[in-house]
Amino acid sequence: SQELEQSPQSLIVQEGKNLTINCTSSKTLYGLYWYKQKYGEGLIFLMMLQKGGEEKSHEKITAKLDEKKQQSSLHITASQPSHAGIYLCGADLGGNNRLAFGKGNQVVVIP
Amino acid sequence: DGGITQSPKYLFRKEGQNVTLSCEQNLNHDAMYWYRQDPGQGLRLIYYSQIVNDFQKGDIAEGYSVSREKKESFPLTVTSAQKNPTAFYLCASNVQTGELFFGEGSRLTVL
């Protein structure tokens, strides 16, 4: 079974619109990482969250880790074509630096 | 500049042949990882190593082997026992609980 569930699996948004994607675990997240990937390429680090309730922002992207540390959301404000790609969440689920990943959220931004 | 180098970027193999993918890092990271990515499957952990001369199986280790003789290097061998080896392979490294740094990936195709 998948340890990290990402939803929605894919979404299409119009340029300028906001979007939110989610990453949910049945276990406590000791560290939660968001990456972005263009198909067939390496992963680009976006943000890391470690504390319950933590929120970080970079440019138009904001990520939050809920208080119980079992879910994270990533919000993009006023989406642009450059935001298109696959967003992957990764997490340390056992506190032993063994990092698992979800299946990803495919984001398409229509001009 | 520091980073992770994977080679080759593209590799073709005939069925029944073993192939080794190279992963080298000059970030002085203790931990290194190998992931496999298939369309719609996210990243699945093959093997990881927290320290030189030690490594652990991930979720899909069958048909793969690794070695960690040097801190900088973590090669992955895809053996003929791997039933479906065609995939995109990603190597990564980090310091304990830190951000994962990824290589650009190696795409293996079995003919």
Side-chain angles (χ1 to χ4, degrees):
Chain A
S1 64
Q2 193 72 23
E3 293 178 302
L4 292 173
E5 295 286 343
Q6 291 190 242
S7 62
Q9 184 176 355
S10 62
L11 72 164
I12 301 172
V13 297
Q14 195 161 21
E15 183 176 357
K17 299 294 186 183
N18 301 340
L19 68 96
T20 299
I21 53 180
N22 298 293
C23 176
T24 303
S25 170
S26 58
K27 301 177 182 179
T28 298
L29 302 170
Y30 287 87
L32 188 286
Y33 306 80
W34 281 102
Y35 289 85
K36 181 186 173 188
Q37 184 186 30
K38 296 287 188 184
Y39 182 74
E41 299 180 8
L43 276 66
I44 300 168
F45 174 74
L46 296 176
M47 273 171 276
M48 178 175 73
L49 304 166
Q50 290 185 302
K51 299 176 184 177
E54 187 174 8
E55 179 176 322
K56 288 186 177 179
S57 293
H58 176 67
E59 297 181 344
K60 294 186 177 181
I61 301 175
T62 300
K64 301 178 184 180
L65 182 61
D66 78 354
E67 290 289 341
K68 293 183 179 179
K69 295 177 65 176
Q70 288 189 288
Q71 183 176 48
S72 177
S73 61
L74 188 140
H75 182 80
I76 299 176
T77 303
S79 59
Q80 301 170 355
S82 61
H83 289 127
I86 301 170
Y87 290 81
L88 288 153
C89 71
D92 179 354
L93 299 175
N96 56 2
N97 205 31
R98 180 183 184 278
L99 302 180
F101 282 83
K103 291 186 177 183
N105 307 93
Q106 173 123 31
V107 172
V108 176
V109 180
I110 301 173
Chain B
D1 288 347
I4 298 180
T5 301
Q6 288 187 241
S7 62
K9 190 169 184 177
Y10 299 96
L11 187 60
F12 297 88
R13 181 194 103 176
K14 293 181 179 180
E15 281 192 26
Q17 289 181 334
N18 292 355
V19 62
T20 297
L21 307 180
S22 170
C23 179
E24 302 280 332
Q25 55 100 357
N26 59 4
L27 300 166
N28 200 34
H29 287 168
D30 284 318
M32 296 188 73
Y33 305 78
W34 274 105
Y35 291 91
R36 168 179 172 145
Q37 187 176 35
D38 297 280
Q41 292 296 318
L43 302 183
R44 292 184 289 171
L45 183 63
I46 304 173
Y47 269 97
Y48 65 109
S49 168
Q50 302 279 20
I51 198 167
V52 175
N53 292 323
D54 187 40
F55 49 83
Q56 290 80 38
K57 292 182 179 180
D59 300 315
I60 55 166
E62 185 175 351
Y64 299 98
S65 66
V66 293
S67 63
R68 187 83 189 278
E69 297 176 1
K70 299 187 300 181
K71 188 175 187 177
E72 303 79 23
S73 179
F74 192 41
L76 174 74
T77 297
V78 184
T79 75
S80 56
Q82 168 50 233
K83 297 188 184 307
N84 187 20
T86 294
F88 187 55
Y89 292 88
L90 285 160
C91 178
S93 71
N94 73 344
V95 295
Q96 186 75 15
T97 70
E99 167 198 347
L100 266 181
F101 289 77
F102 283 87
E104 290 297 308
S106 294
R107 185 167 296 281
L108 172 63
T109 302
V110 174
L111 304 173

